[in-house]
Amino acid sequence: MILVTGGAGFIGANFVLDWLKHHDEPVVNLDKLTYAGNRDNLAALANDSRHHFVQGDIGDTALIAELLTTHRPRAVLNFAAESHVDRSIHGPSDFIETNIVGTFRLLESVRQYWLGLDAAGREAFRFLHVSTDEVYGSLEREDAPFAETHPYQPNSPYSASKAASDHLVRAWHHTYGLPVLTTNCSNNYGPYQFPEKLIPLMIANALAGKALPIYGDGQNVRDWLYVGDHCTAIRRVLEAGSLGETYNVGGWNEKPNIEIVHTICALLDELRPRADGKSYREQITFVTDRPGHDRRYAIDARKIERELGWRPAETFETGIRKTIAWYLAHQDWVERVSSGAYRDWLATNYAHRS
Ligand code: NAD
Ligand code: DAU
């Protein structure tokens, strides 16, 4: 069996659902259920005995030790993190606590467990750390995409905390021999993404008749990957990745934010036209930029293709259409996760932007 952390969040929940579609191997899913974690995401597994959910913190050493000795997983996959850049700017301390201290405590608990395995168990064991392309910093328009050898140059409290966690994972391999794998992925989109992030926020605001707030000039570039493709990549790295290696995962899909929002508007115009017959583009508003806003991310995903044969299956056109269809069909989900605390967050993040 495998232990997944953060499996009630966006990517983690997609991963657990996807895993149990492809395997019969059970999953213990440890998640703190912060604002971003939602058991609703796992509703399809309510009666599935292969899924065992535990509410808890990756930094709770006693709980982790108990889970490891009780369930004896052959792998731990660490998705748990504070993940939103804007929140890290408003309040970095949770990012330091979970992404750095939490990862450190998790690594230590896992190391103790791993040391107690027999030789075959130690050899077969894997700790897979799910990380981000943001650790590499920002690219200029003419720069080559991020390869695994690119220097770490994180610019936000979020990316700095993820960079620190990557360094800890690397060090636990080099110093203690812990069998680790790290993936650094570009921007994901798809079902169950919390509506604080660009794509679900724009869909929700459009349908609610609210402004579509574009930071700065809208020319910041991200490399978009459908979440299902990220899950496939993680499964492949777990299966065949070389120990201690990092793998960049991306969609070969660089697009400026304004183009993403135009695409969302065009699809909504087609699938759920506004009552007044106008385009959702009318709701676009340019607002004050994010401080320290990274200009461009782009992933060179040739290593994972060359060594592990992985390539994304979705194009942006197919993935975004599926995603919008999912949000249109699951507006009740958006309603349920948009609690009072979420509305407070919107006020914190957007009220001061002119
Ligand atoms: P998310 O915010 O949607 O989910 C994070 C999950 O972690 C939530 O369920 C939350 O409850 C849980 N969590 C937070 N702190 C915890 C703690 N201390 N102990 C246990 N659980 C805790 O994030 P996501 O977008 O699904 O990202 C998952 C991982 O993938 C993160 O590590 C993130 O850095 C990385 N990543 C995300 C993207 C992206 O585009 N979303 C891209 C690359 C990498
Ligand atoms: O690159 C991978 C990273 O992608 C992950 O590590 C992070 O966890 C994930 O949140 C994401 O970070 P970004 O900051 O790129 O994602 P976000 O959806 O917040 O923003 C995407 C782009 O859209 C970014 O350039 C900022 C811009 N934006 C975002 C919001 C929320 C806007 O213009 N307006 C908005 O309201």
Side-chain angles (χ1 to χ4, degrees), residues 16-318:
V16 171
L17 293 166
D18 183 70
W19 178 269
L20 291 174
K21 233 184 249 165
H22 291 90
H23 294 253
D24 267 337
E25 189 176 9
V27 178
V28 172
N29 184 351
L30 171 79
D31 195 295
K32 189 177 176 180
L33 296 181
T34 67
Y35 78 91
N38 190 345
R39 288 207 65 179
D40 241 16
N41 302 354
L42 302 158
L45 302 174
N47 298 315
D48 192 325
S49 59
R50 298 169 304 164
H51 179 240
H52 178 62
F53 184 81
V54 179
Q55 182 171 3
D57 194 315
I58 56 167
D60 182 343
T61 307
L63 172 65
I64 304 291
E66 184 200 317
L67 289 176
L68 292 170
T69 46
T70 306
H71 298 286
R72 309 198 65 72
R74 68 160 175 108
V76 173
L77 286 83
N78 185 32
F79 293 82
E82 289 293 336
S83 68
H84 189 33
V85 174
D86 292 315
R87 286 189 193 251
S88 81
I89 294 166
H90 285 275
S93 71
D94 286 348
F95 290 74
I96 307 304
E97 203 49 52
T98 283
N99 300 359
I100 306 179
V101 181
T103 303
F104 156 67
R105 294 214 174 108
L106 181 65
L107 279 167
E108 273 298 78
S109 306
V110 170
R111 184 167 75 89
Q112 291 311 324
Y113 163 71
W114 174 73
L115 284 171
L117 296 174
D118 61 22
R122 274 204 302 282
E123 171 120 16
F125 186 80
R126 298 288 182 270
F127 180 91
L128 190 152
H129 181 60
V130 179
S131 192
T132 170
D133 59 359
E134 300 203 12
V135 298
Y136 298 124
S138 184
L139 295 168
E140 299 297 331
R141 188 197 294 263
E142 65 283 358
D143 289 343
F146 299 128
E148 288 79 0
T149 48
H150 194 94
Y152 271 41
Q153 291 171 329
N155 292 318
S156 72
Y158 164 68
S159 54
S161 68
K162 290 295 292 187
S165 70
D166 292 10
H167 291 324
L168 292 172
V169 171
R170 176 189 161 87
W172 260 240
H173 174 67
H174 282 266
T175 303
Y176 303 115
L178 190 69
V180 308
L181 298 157
T182 298
T183 54
N184 292 90
C185 188
S186 62
N187 286 62
N188 283 214
Y189 65 100
Y192 302 112
Q193 188 167 30
F194 194 77
E196 65 190 356
K197 307 281 168 58
L198 179 74
I199 289 179
L201 179 102
M202 293 297 165
I203 300 170
N205 279 17
L207 295 173
K210 294 190 196 159
L212 307 181
I214 300 196
Y215 297 165
D217 62 4
Q219 294 302 327
N220 299 68
V221 170
R222 299 291 183 264
D223 175 356
W224 294 93
L225 180 72
Y226 188 69
V227 64
D229 280 325
H230 190 185
C231 295
T232 320
I234 291 170
R235 276 199 283 120
R236 185 67 192 133
V237 172
L238 179 65
E239 178 177 64
S242 299
L243 293 188
E245 288 294 310
T246 68
Y247 293 91
N248 283 356
V249 184
W252 299 107
N253 232 322
E254 282 184 63
K255 294 201 187 294
N257 295 335
I258 187 67
E259 197 180 318
I260 298 292
V261 178
H262 283 165
T263 303
I264 293 170
C265 290
L267 282 166
L268 288 175
D269 288 341
E270 176 195 329
L271 300 170
R272 186 66 55 88
R274 269 174 44 157
D276 63 6
K278 292 184 177 163
S279 170
Y280 287 98
R281 276 196 191 209
E282 303 255 332
Q283 290 164 232
I284 290 176
T285 321
F286 289 87
V287 300
T288 313
D289 210 350
R290 173 186 279 175
H293 196 175
D294 284 339
R295 193 62 175 166
R296 174 177 164 235
Y297 304 141
I299 279 280
D300 176 345
R302 284 178 298 177
K303 176 177 171 183
I304 189 171
E305 177 166 5
R306 192 175 59 245
E307 295 187 9
L308 304 179
W310 177 89
R311 254 193 91 81
E314 299 286 347
T315 63
F316 187 70
E317 289 63 37
T318 58

